[in-house]
Amino acid sequence: MSTRRSLPDDSKPASERFWKLDGRIRKDRRMACVECTLSRSTMDNVLHELLAEGTITLEDLDGMSEELQERMKRWAETILE
């Protein structure tokens, strides 16, 4: 069994993909090896982790708010320096 699953359909808006991913994480969280909590207050941290792991890219954030995209770009720039 693979522990890595694909992200939700790229043709969907980014916000819809995020919430679908949230649902999958909530379901998978019941497994012993998965631990993640999503809420608006933790969203940036979760996205940082997903970006750092290479699970998502900045392009995957297209369709999310410009403010969120800019925060993630600034964070990525500081990490890559």
Side-chain angles (χ1 to χ4, degrees), residues 33-52:
C33 62
V34 176
E35 184 177 328
C36 183
T37 301
L38 286 181
S39 67
R40 290 190 191 276
S41 62
T42 63
M43 182 171 60
D44 282 10
N45 291 336
V46 171
L47 290 174
H48 292 162
E49 290 177 26
L50 293 171
L51 286 164

Side-chain angles (χ1 to χ4, degrees), residues 37-76:
T37 301
L38 286 181
S39 67
R40 290 190 191 276
S41 62
T42 63
M43 182 171 60
D44 282 10
N45 291 336
V46 171
L47 290 174
H48 292 162
E49 290 177 26
L50 293 171
L51 286 164
E53 293 172 352
T55 304
I56 64 171
T57 66
L58 291 172
E59 291 76 30
D60 291 321
L61 301 177
D62 289 348
M64 308 230 19
S65 74
E66 287 189 31
E67 180 184 335
L68 174 77
Q69 290 181 53
E70 284 301 315
R71 282 196 317 269
M72 295 303 113
K73 286 177 188 174
R74 284 193 307 271
W75 175 84

